[in-house]
Amino acid sequence: MTASPLTLVGAFPHTRAAPALRRLGFTFSANGAYAACLATSGDGGWYPESWRLGGSEAAAQGGEQLVGGLIVGGLGGAGAGGPAGGMDVVAMPVPLPQAAGGVPESLRSQLVSLSDGRVLICRQAAADRHELVVRTPASVRESSAGTLRVPTLRLMAMPAPEPGGPVAVALGMDGRQVSAVWLVSADGATQPQQVAEFAGVSGGGVWLDRGGRLLALDHLLPARTEGFGTSGPMVKTVVLDLATGTVSPFLELAPHSNDRLIAADPGSGLILVRSDAPGEDRIGWGVLGGAEPLRFPDCLHRTREFLRPVAIEPAREPGTAPADLRVALQGDWGAGSSLALWQPSSGQLDPVPVPPGRLGGVGHWSAAGLRMPYSAPDHPAGVATIDVDRLREGPPESPDPVPTMPLRLAPLQGGAAGMGSVIRIHPAPGNAQGLHGSAPRGSRGGSSGWRLDGSAPPSDGGRWHGARTVELPGAAGPMEAVVYGGDAWLTAQHLVVALHGGPADAWRLEFDPALQRMAAEGLAVVAVNQRGSTGYGVEYAQALQNAWGGPDLEDVLALLESVSSQRSALGLEQPSLFGVSYGAFLALLAASSAPEQVARCAVVAPFLSGPRLLAEAGPAVRALTLRLGGAQPDGGADQGPDGPGARDVLRVCHRLTAPLLVVHGDQDAVVPVSQSRTLRQELLRMGRSEGADFRYVEAAGAGHEVLAEDGAPVLHELLAGFLRTGRPA
């Protein structure tokens, strides 16, 4: 049999004409005047952005600097210097264009926003080599900040860099599990200066002084034998003195506890820690150098939300006591996130009513307000400026009405969890328990205390499609899903069940260009977080340990059975499946296990089984596969080789009858393209016709993030069209 040639999607030229639709890796400069992130418009690869924030202490001084022949800074004016006025200062993203023939950024690029608007970038040029460069806004020029030869490297900004001094610390790790530390300058002439080297694995990083000398790090202690037993590895916080290169203990609450410093205010001495010394993982607080022991308030102990401090408010008056400072904490549970304020002296956690969506986990608090990255399904990522007092003290907003499920036309059958009610729609955040509050959806004006800058509107002048979270039945209990399609999504003409990658990942209540394109095509989308998804507690996330394609496949099959029976009763076509990476593997298993319940199946960068991936992937992916328990070869002793739990796509793909579209980047360094090529060859061997039964597309020059690289809009359109019609036009 002669195989038809592979279909190739060529690379597309870089462009900055389109606004950014995805942003990640936000960092804020030490003075709060600037931020930086990686951005992409979806059709031109990743590039750095430098955000002119204004309204900070530095901007209020009106200082301008000459950098690389450009005037930067001096962003004072209206609003600089006060919370109310700061809401009037718009944050401005400035793309840093790529020079012709220059090195493009990747998702592995690390950024540090400098206090003059420049951006320090760390690029991994090879497995053991990192290039450090400095970029200037509105210029294609870049200057070298040195080269470091180490397998693993991460950057931390200095807390208050002096003119001409180091701007960042680089922490590296080699194969000997030895940590090395360098000071990085941005003058274009000074190479990184190594200042320390110590044994062990380090992580985290919190500055204990404003001068940038004392850096607290998480230090991993290996397992050790004591008496007749062996203690597991532990994490303790140590302090690195950059002036002497010495490391000393800092936080050790109990002999076998994990103790981390997670935030500090060097001016007042307020510190926040995370420790399991109290018997379970909790957040506590204390004063650096103080005589009082650490305290672990009950209000910071949440059984659902994972709390993390994102910013400490600067003291409003000189001499403010540490216990009177306010801390902004982000709470994460499931697909969404929330914001709350905590003051040690108050003893309570006060919700801040921000719109539903996803906050970025980092922030900067100044006189201009609290600034954080934010995204929602109908708001591409931007920078939110939050006046927490105005939000909390303003008149209460009327929460969005909780929609009811209109479909009561046919009894719902199937699903091990039962289907007394197929859907429970999560209430709007204003009605939720925990940290959530209410806020006007899409509010952007400064008068409300919330403004979102830099969030791109659709190019056609319309509106992005919104989504909500709902609760659906799985095989062993409820699952959360992000749903596009309004109240009647279950009865939409075309319905897509979307499966995320990972497996240690989840769909979030944030903007997703691929799902937006499907919604624009008229597809209802159910992006489900089955067992194994992160954000729902340790037990839920670890359900797939040594069981890839087990509990999660059961959940997907239970959902397909329930939804397909309902749609069949109404004369609607069966749902389609869409999956990326691990989700593509899961989608292929599901489409092969329940072929009568799947109308179409589109997969991006799939692998065939954990063991097959283990045999072909690189060292980092092999290590991750082993750590997540993906090496088990079959679905368990109680199931035959072709049973629903079989975890090898090649063993069950003969059952797949739905039209299939496979997309893979030919430079994928995570899931080798050979996995999809093997699947294609097996389908041809079985007599399936390419172009009729299935379509195979290789994206030339694309990596694992093929849906966010050059030519991504073409692939988005291809996927949406196929999932709607089944014809891979």
Side-chain angles (χ1 to χ4, degrees), residues 22 42 512-514 518 578-580 604 663 702-709 712-713 715-716 719:
R22 290 184 63 193
D512 188 291
M518 294 177 194
F578 164 69
V580 179
V604 179
V663 177
H704 192 63
E705 294 288 331
V706 62
L707 296 184
E709 300 179 24
L715 295 179
H716 294 166
L719 288 165

Side-chain angles (χ1 to χ4, degrees), residues 110-114 118-122 132-135 145 155 167-168 184-186:
Q110 301 177 57
L111 309 183
V112 170
S113 178
L114 304 183
R118 292 180 297 167
V119 180
L120 173 65
I121 304 174
C122 175
L132 301 170
V133 300
V134 177
R135 294 290 310 275
L155 297 181
V167 297
V184 180
S185 298

Side-chain angles (χ1 to χ4, degrees), residues 188-214:
T190 306
Q191 290 293 308
Q193 175 189 359
Q194 185 170 351
V195 294
E197 185 175 279
F198 55 93
V201 178
S202 62
V206 176
W207 291 104
L208 296 178
D209 67 325
R210 297 192 186 280
R213 173 174 176 173
L214 301 178

Side-chain angles (χ1 to χ4, degrees), residues 354-603:
V354 298
R358 195 76 180 180
L359 297 168
V362 296
H364 188 278
W365 204 341
S366 71
L370 173 62
R371 286 193 166 107
M372 295 184 67
Y374 169 85
S375 176
D378 53 354
H379 286 145
V383 171
T385 301
I386 308 167
D387 186 328
V388 295
D389 293 314
R390 188 178 296 174
L391 275 180
R392 294 175 60 230
E393 296 174 1
E397 302 287 344
S398 300
D400 294 335
V402 178
T404 58
M405 183 59 215
L407 184 58
R408 302 292 183 194
L409 303 180
L412 295 167
Q413 304 296 330
M419 292 291 291
S421 175
V422 65
I423 299 168
R424 188 173 79 191
I425 298 179
H426 286 183
N431 300 328
Q433 299 295 319
L435 303 184
H436 296 287
S438 62
R441 183 68 177 147
S443 174
R444 295 173 185 242
S447 61
S448 69
W450 167 274
R451 194 190 65 241
L452 182 63
D453 294 322
S455 184
S459 58
D460 60 5
R463 295 173 60 90
W464 296 116
H465 294 266
R468 60 165 57 95
T469 55
V470 303
E471 199 170 83
L472 302 172
M479 308 178 294
E480 187 180 41
V482 178
V483 173
Y484 296 75
D487 296 350
W489 59 267
L490 187 57
T491 58
Q493 183 178 1
H494 304 290
L495 176 64
V496 176
V497 175
L499 305 176
H500 63 74
D505 203 348
W507 295 110
R508 308 297 186 193
L509 201 60
E510 61 191 5
F511 187 83
D512 188 291
L515 300 187
Q516 275 290 329
R517 185 64 187 85
M518 294 177 194
E521 192 75 13
L523 304 170
V525 181
V526 178
V528 64
N529 287 335
Q530 66 282 343
R531 277 179 291 173
S533 303
T534 56
Y536 302 90
V538 175
E539 183 179 355
Y540 198 85
Q542 291 184 346
L544 301 189
Q545 193 69 30
N546 299 318
W548 286 18
D552 52 352
L553 179 59
E554 294 173 3
D555 284 343
V556 173
L557 293 177
L559 178 62
L560 285 176
E561 182 179 358
S562 302
V563 171
S564 64
S565 63
Q566 186 74 14
R567 292 177 64 83
S568 294
L570 297 173
L572 298 171
E573 72 168 14
Q574 299 304 310
S576 297
L577 286 172
F578 164 69
V580 179
S581 191
Y582 183 92
F585 159 70
L586 191 59
L588 289 169
L589 291 181
S592 300
S593 300
E596 70 284 354
Q597 296 172 356
V598 177
R600 290 171 280 282
C601 182
V603 294

Side-chain angles (χ1 to χ4, degrees), residues 62-86:
E64 294 183 344
Q65 301 183 50
L66 187 65
V67 179
L70 298 174
I71 296 177
V72 298
L75 300 179

